[in-house]
Amino acid sequence: MTSKALEHEIPYHRELHNVMKLYPLFVRFFLLLVLFGLFLLPGASCEENVYVIGILSQRGPDHSLSTLAGTAEYLSEEVPGCNFKIMPLDYDEIFDAVSSERVDFVLTDPFLYVELESSYGISRIATMKNSWDGNAYTEYGGVIITRSDNNEINELSDLRGKSLMAVDEHSFGGFWIGVRTMEQNGIDYREDLSKITFGKTHDAVIYAVRSGSVDAGIIRTDVLERLVAEGKIDISDFKVINQQHFEGFPFLLSTQLYPEWAFSKVSSTPLELAEEVTIALLSMPSENPSSADGNNSTILAGNYAGWTIPLDYTPVHELMKELRLGPYENYGRVPLNEAIAQHWYWVVLFFMLLAIIVTYDRMTTEKIKKAELERSNKLKDLFTDIMRHDLLNPAGAIKGFNDVLYFKEEDEEKRKIIETIDRQTDKLISMIDSAAKLAKLESFHELELRNSDLGIILKNVAESFDHSLKEKDITLELTTPGKYPSKVNEIIEEVFSNLLSNSIKYSPAGSKVKVEIIDAGSYWKVYVIDSGDGVADENKLRIFERFTRADRKGIKGSGLGLAIVKRIIELHNGFVGVNDNPEGKGSVFWVALKKYDHTSSHN
């Protein structure tokens, strides 16, 4: 290496040496910048990561803010890098807030939770525990109230023709719980009330009832007690309708109980964040030690006792199904193709019955033409034979195939359908048998009669109904203190059996059926007295006619039974009729049969 080159290299090495001496300083400066950035990062993140909790305002925005203020502060402290704030919303605003993702979490009543879950996919992560007098409650209900001095409303049925105020058409505790209770007691809020209005808050409903501007109101449980505690109302000004009592539940109540409000995450909220919030909520203490004054009570500030794991909201779904609300608006209403797919058993039964009818029609026509019947009694005999053979056999086949389907089917819903088909088939067989029996009786002109005691016959018939009487808890009072000789055929048992069966069938559970025999000169009159719905005057004669049956509030039947009774009594040269029960509600069916005259008989 030349001297010139050496001279050139020496400054270069000196410069490199100087740079290497500064390298540790650069490293240290860089590390300080990184640490400083990390130190500042949480603060910047906390400012950026603001999460909104939408809360349904059941008593107004101010009340909602005070209710969850402590909880929002607590979550901001417990979930690193996140701030939480409260957004009060009314019933209309909450749907828009969730759909537009302006909220990350939502606290709402069970009714809106189910609607939002169905429409926007929110999912509950906790259930609120309500606080009262130092105890926690996870269920609530509805309260139907009126003024204490309103003597016209004392029970649910008195609401007919009255005005009513509820909180909102979406409110669960402030409307729908009360509606379901009224519906279950025969009150249709759309038809039976003179007017229905909505006050938007529970407080407004209570004040409207107190002022007398409405006759009655629906609110959720605990609002009355809290307003009393706040000194805003006097509980003696109000009366609770249909008051209920559940052990351990402290609030005034008119309905059954349902799970408390649900704290839910919207679909766009990260699962990891929801998990942290859930853990924080379930771990939230009664006292918040990090509050500024050190004494702020989260529970007392919010009128609730914290949170528990999400409860089962099945009762809410059942209410909405029953009233066809929200996602269940068209519950039970399915298109024709789906109905056929779901109820193909009924379709099969329909076509089988149609085949029976067509077969019956063809066979009847062919046999009538072939035999060239001239007398009406022969036609009736033929009809009876066809009824017993050509209809009972296919009906029996339906029952047999139905039994096979029942044992092969594993789906519980389809098994219930098959059981219904089996019951209807039994009714079909019974109707065919009754029709055949009546046709036979129509062809008779007289019966073979012999001396029998009507009292003994009635006792034998009554014993056969022991099971039916016990099943409905009905008492049978049979008064036969003496002997009641009469000339009758053994088919007379069919008369007493039919009348007694009808009385048990149409009498309410826990009532009494009375049977007695009265001396009516040359006749014995047998009375069967029930406490059922009775028979309208215009139907008292028609119910004994063939295939004619008076309406008995939707209870179905063929109408042949009483026609058979009438025909049998006619063949005994007797009489039959029906009167109103003189002791109150119900009917008195009676038959008159001739007494046995031993002076004119050699038997």
Side-chain angles (χ1 to χ4, degrees):
M1 180 178 296
T2 64
S3 59
K4 287 185 178 181
L6 183 59
E7 289 176 0
H8 178 76
E9 285 291 331
I10 288 173
Y12 171 78
H13 283 290
R14 286 177 180 171
E15 185 176 344
L16 179 62
H17 178 70
N18 291 333
V19 171
M20 291 300 295
K21 287 175 66 178
L22 293 174
Y23 178 74
L25 295 176
F26 282 114
V27 172
R28 291 175 184 174
F29 181 72
F30 177 75
L31 289 176
L32 286 173
L33 285 176
V34 171
L35 290 173
F36 184 71
L38 290 174
F39 176 76
L40 292 178
L41 185 59
S45 175
C46 186
E47 290 296 322
E48 294 174 1
N49 295 332
V50 177
Y51 294 98
V52 180
I53 303 172
I55 176 173
L56 177 64
S57 297
Q58 62 167 344
R59 294 185 61 190
D62 293 340
H63 183 272
S64 299
L65 286 170
S66 63
T67 297
L68 281 192
T71 300
E73 179 184 347
Y74 167 79
L75 290 176
S76 298
E77 296 171 353
E78 292 296 315
V79 182
C82 299
N83 281 332
F84 293 85
K85 70 175 185 178
I86 306 302
M87 180 185 288
L89 301 165
D90 63 24
Y91 288 96
D92 296 323
E93 294 170 337
I94 200 164
F95 284 93
D96 179 66
V98 172
S99 64
S100 61
E101 298 183 357
R102 291 190 291 114
V103 294
D104 304 283
F105 298 91
V106 63
L107 174 62
T108 184
D109 68 24
F111 181 87
L112 287 184
Y113 162 71
V114 172
E115 285 200 292
L116 292 170
E117 178 190 43
S118 172
S119 301
Y120 304 110
I122 72 169
S123 53
R124 63 187 184 274
I125 61 176
T127 294
M128 185 179 73
K129 294 193 294 185
N130 196 6
S131 173
W132 180 258
D133 198 23
N135 296 310
Y137 304 93
T138 58
E139 293 181 303
Y140 78 111
V143 190
I144 304 173
I145 59 172
T146 187
R147 283 173 58 105
S148 58
D149 58 0
N150 188 341
N151 296 322
E152 293 184 359
I153 303 178
N154 295 296
E155 54 188 34
L156 289 174
S157 60
D158 297 332
L159 292 174
R160 288 188 175 90
K162 304 297 190 298
S163 62
L164 180 138
M165 178 180 284
V167 177
D168 190 276
E169 59 184 348
H170 295 289
S171 176
F172 190 60
F175 186 43
W176 290 116
I177 296 180
V179 166
R180 187 189 195 190
T181 300
M182 290 191 295
E183 294 276 351
Q184 290 173 338
N185 286 271
I187 305 296
D188 186 338
Y189 77 97
R190 291 158 298 194
E191 302 291 338
D192 295 334
L193 300 175
S194 64
K195 183 181 180 182
I196 183 165
T197 54
F198 297 101
K200 296 304 179 182
T201 67
H202 293 267
D203 299 37
V205 174
I206 294 172
Y207 296 147
V209 172
R210 185 177 64 178
S211 68
S213 58
V214 294
D215 296 316
I218 302 176
I219 55 173
R220 67 157 279 160
T221 52
D222 86 7
V223 180
L224 278 174
E225 289 82 358
R226 297 196 189 282
L227 286 178
V228 170
E230 294 168 8
K232 296 179 177 178
I233 63 170
D234 187 340
I235 195 64
S236 64
D237 292 336
F238 301 93
K239 176 169 53 178
V240 175
I241 306 303
N242 194 49
Q243 188 164 356
Q244 304 293 305
H245 301 279
F246 288 89
E247 185 176 355
F249 190 75
F251 304 113
L252 293 170
L253 177 70
S254 300
T255 69
Q256 70 181 73
L257 296 175
Y258 297 85
E260 265 288 1
W261 285 31
F263 192 105
S264 309
K265 82 172 195 70
V266 302
S267 58
S268 60
T269 302
L271 181 61
E272 296 78 5
L273 174 62
E275 290 174 350
E276 292 188 61
V277 171
T278 302
I279 294 171
L281 288 176
L282 296 181
S283 305
M284 189 176 75
S286 300
E287 301 293 329
N288 187 351
S290 63
S291 300
D293 58 6
N295 295 315
N296 178 41
S297 172
T298 302
I299 292 179
L300 295 178
N303 287 331
Y304 65 96
W307 310 88
T308 186
I309 60 173
L311 297 186
D312 179 12
Y313 285 74
T314 299
V316 184
H317 286 269
E318 291 176 349
L319 177 147
M320 297 178 75
K321 285 181 183 178
E322 184 177 316
L323 299 180
R324 286 184 171 151
L325 301 173
Y328 301 104
E329 181 180 0
N330 296 314
Y331 180 72
R333 300 168 182 163
V334 295
L336 180 60
N337 59 332
E338 292 184 21
I340 292 174
Q342 294 178 16
H343 306 293
W344 62 271
Y345 296 95
W346 289 106
V347 178
V348 172
L349 177 62
F350 171 76
F351 283 107
M352 292 180 73
L353 289 175
L354 183 61
I356 291 174
I357 294 171
V358 172
T359 302
Y360 160 75
D361 183 66
R362 289 179 179 176
M363 294 180 67
T364 301
T365 303
E366 291 176 1
K367 290 184 179 182
I368 291 175
K369 290 180 179 179
K370 198 173 193 178
E372 295 180 348
L373 296 176
E374 296 178 356
R375 298 175 59 186
S376 61
N377 61 334
K378 290 183 179 180
L379 178 60
K380 292 174 183 177
D381 287 340
L382 178 61
F383 173 76
T384 303
D385 291 337
I386 293 172
M387 288 283 289
R388 295 188 65 83
H389 180 269
D390 297 328
L391 291 183
L392 284 177
N393 283 351
I398 292 175
K399 186 173 178 62
F401 283 119
N402 198 60
D403 291 339
V404 173
L405 288 173
Y406 181 83
F407 289 108
K408 287 186 176 182
E409 185 57 65
E410 295 180 358
D411 184 274
E412 192 61 30
E413 289 295 324
K414 292 181 179 179
R415 286 172 72 96
K416 289 180 180 178
I417 293 173
I418 295 173
E419 290 175 351
T420 303
I421 294 175
D422 189 67
R423 290 194 297 270
Q424 295 301 320
T425 305
D426 286 340
K427 289 183 179 180
L428 176 64
I429 293 172
S430 176
M431 185 175 70
I432 293 171
D433 187 64
S434 295
K437 187 180 296 182
L438 181 60
K440 282 286 187 184
L441 288 170
E442 290 287 353
S443 67
F444 292 162
H445 295 290
E446 61 181 20
L447 295 173
E448 182 179 351
L449 308 178
R450 61 186 180 87
N451 180 27
S452 298
D453 190 331
L454 294 182
I456 295 175
I457 295 174
L458 280 170
K459 287 180 181 178
N460 292 336
V461 171
E463 288 176 359
S464 67
F465 285 93
D466 284 346
H467 177 73
S468 300
L469 292 165
K470 290 178 181 177
E471 199 172 47
K472 290 189 68 174
D473 192 26
I474 291 177
T475 302
L476 176 62
E477 183 178 325
L478 179 60
T479 306
T480 55
K483 293 185 178 182
Y484 308 93
S486 178
K487 290 193 68 174
V488 295
N489 184 276
E490 60 184 6
I491 200 173
I492 198 67
E493 290 187 4
E494 182 81 17
V495 171
F496 301 140
S497 179
N498 191 293
L499 295 179
L500 196 53
S501 174
N502 283 347
S503 294
I504 296 171
K505 180 178 181 180
Y506 298 125
S507 291
S511 62
K512 179 176 71 175
V513 172
K514 185 177 180 181
V515 180
E516 58 183 1
I517 304 177
I518 303 298
D519 189 342
S522 59
Y523 289 85
W524 297 116
K525 282 190 99 170
V526 180
Y527 292 93
V528 179
I529 308 167
D530 63 54
S531 303
D533 293 326
V535 180
D537 291 340
E538 63 268 24
N539 293 321
K540 282 186 169 62
L541 295 177
R542 294 176 60 241
I543 58 174
F544 293 101
E545 298 173 5
R546 289 182 299 172
F547 306 108
T548 300
R549 188 180 169 281
D551 178 39
R552 288 179 183 264
K553 291 191 176 180
I555 302 174
K556 298 180 179 179
S558 65
L560 293 173
L562 292 177
I564 292 174
V565 167
K566 181 183 179 184
R567 181 55 184 160
I568 293 174
I569 295 301
E570 287 175 346
L571 291 170
H572 282 80
N573 296 316
F575 305 93
V576 62
V578 59
N579 302 322
D580 293 331
N581 188 343
E583 298 179 2
K585 188 178 180 181
S587 302
V588 179
F589 282 85
W590 56 267
V591 297
L593 295 167
K594 284 187 176 182
K595 294 180 179 179
Y596 172 66
D597 186 1
H598 64 87
T599 60
S600 60
S601 176
H602 300 287
N603 293 336

